[in-house]
């Protein structure tokens, strides 16, 4: 039995329909349909921090021009993202293949970048379990999209003041940074510009409810993220 078999954060699990309206599964089915109809250069996958990004102007400014799709679902933990990606959301996405040497690197020759941002909703799991869940997702992406590059974003701090969940998120980030170098076509990006002030507090101007980003917070996160994605898309590829 592998460690994933005993780790609930690394076992594909559909989201609970707690409100009885079937929204989680409806969103998943829409994402599967979108993957069939569109050819993204960039795919965002994750929880509400990914989902809500699409509602802000920064998405239209920075990411829409990159032919990006957003497969974010509020409330998702690692096991939910793992279920979605296992059940069709990646099956029809075709990563761009590099052109032959000497022909240049046109935009159509770029490889797909998958941006993964998840982990803050794994409340009942240890940092090691959350890390393993993230690594399991990365391995799945690598297996389904072997030519794509996965960019794993660090989990942000949360809560107005220091708290156990914030400490665990920091531990998750440390463990993920240690684990990712062993995985192909994968890198880590710390997108926290310094949301925690010197007194340990977080401002509602950056994270309006001390978890979700404000417009100002997204601007601070997305400028370095956009630069990292552009660098990956424009990097020369080997044959």
């Amino acid at each position: 039995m592998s460690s994933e078999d005993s780790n609930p954060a690394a076992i594909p699990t559909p989201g609970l329909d707690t409100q009885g309206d079937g929204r989680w599964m409806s969103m998943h089915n829409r994402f599967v349909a979108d993957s069939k109809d569109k050819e993204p250069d960039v795919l965002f996958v994750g929880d509400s921090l990914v989902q809500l990004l699409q509602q802000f102007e920064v998405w239209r400014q920075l990411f829409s021009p990159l032919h990006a799709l957003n497969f974010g679902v509020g409330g998702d933990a690692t096991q939910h993202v793992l279920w979605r990606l296992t059940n069709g959301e990646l099956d029809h996405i075709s990563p761009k293949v590099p052109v032959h040497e000497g022909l240049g690197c046109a935009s159509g020759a770029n490889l797909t970048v998958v941006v993964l941002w998840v982990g803050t909703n794994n409340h009942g799991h240890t940092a090691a379990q959350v890390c393993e869940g993230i690594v399991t997702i990365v391995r799945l992406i690598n297996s389904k999209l072997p030519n794509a590059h996965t960019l794993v974003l660090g989990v942000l701090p949360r809560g107005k003041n220091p708290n156990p969940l914030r400490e665990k998120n920091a531990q998750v980030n440390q463990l993920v940074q240690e684990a990712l170098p062993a995985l192909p076509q994968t890198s880590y990006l710390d997108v926290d510009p310094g949301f925690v002030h010197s007194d340990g507090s977080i401002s509602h101007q950056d994270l309006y409810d001390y978890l979700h980003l404000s417009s100002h917070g997204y601007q601070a996160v997305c400028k370095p993220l956009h630069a990292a994605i552009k660098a990956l898309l424009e990097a020369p590829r080997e044959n």
Side-chain angles (χ1 to χ4, degrees):
M1 178 178 291
S2 69
S3 57
E4 287 92 344
D5 292 333
S6 58
N7 177 6
I11 298 173
T13 306
L16 293 176
D17 184 22
T18 55
Q19 299 179 17
D21 57 7
R23 286 184 297 117
W24 189 91
M25 191 60 69
S26 295
M27 292 181 70
H28 165 66
N29 291 334
R30 175 166 60 84
F31 294 157
V32 174
D34 284 347
S35 73
K36 296 177 182 178
D37 297 336
K38 301 173 182 176
E39 295 182 353
D41 288 336
V42 182
L43 175 65
F44 284 76
V45 179
D47 52 34
S48 58
L49 290 173
V50 172
Q51 180 183 14
L52 294 174
L53 171 58
Q54 200 168 11
Q55 308 304 316
F56 288 83
E57 181 62 27
V58 69
W59 175 269
R60 291 178 285 278
Q61 290 175 341
L62 298 182
F63 302 120
S64 289
L66 300 181
H67 304 100
L69 280 181
N70 187 310
F71 287 0
V73 178
D76 266 13
T78 56
Q79 66 271 22
H80 306 127
V81 170
L82 192 57
W83 190 95
R84 292 197 281 118
L85 300 188
T86 300
N87 288 275
E89 291 186 14
L90 298 180
D91 290 357
H92 304 282
I93 291 177
S94 300
K96 310 300 184 292
V97 295
V99 295
H100 294 296
E101 185 177 0
L103 295 181
C105 189
S107 60
N110 295 336
L111 298 182
T112 301
V113 174
V114 180
V115 179
L116 176 63
W117 204 6
V118 70
T120 197
N121 292 321
N122 288 81
H123 311 303
H125 304 139
T126 67
Q129 288 176 321
V130 180
C131 173
E132 188 176 23
I134 292 171
V135 168
T136 302
I137 296 170
V138 172
R139 287 181 177 141
L140 176 65
I141 295 170
N142 286 344
S143 68
K144 287 182 173 288
L145 302 175
N147 291 323
H149 187 100
T150 303
L151 183 61
V152 179
L153 306 189
V155 185
L156 292 179
R158 55 183 292 159
K160 181 178 181 180
N161 298 305
N163 61 85
L165 285 179
R166 189 193 293 183
E167 294 173 6
K168 188 180 78 172
N169 284 0
Q171 293 171 1
V172 169
N173 290 340
Q174 181 61 40
L175 292 172
V176 169
Q177 289 181 76
E178 294 171 358
L180 291 188
L183 301 176
Q185 296 285 103
T186 305
S187 56
Y188 174 88
L189 181 65
D190 179 5
V191 291
D192 178 8
F195 287 134
V196 178
H197 298 170
S198 58
D199 63 357
S201 69
I202 287 177
S203 171
H204 69 275
Q205 294 180 347
D206 295 320
L207 287 86
Y208 63 85
D209 59 354
Y210 310 108
L211 173 62
H212 297 99
L213 290 161
S214 65
S215 177
H216 180 267
Y218 271 119
Q219 286 284 348
V221 162
C222 289
K223 288 182 179 179
L225 173 56
H226 177 260
I229 294 172
K230 286 278 287 183
L232 287 170
L233 290 174
E234 295 172 356
R237 307 294 180 179
E238 296 181 357
N239 289 331

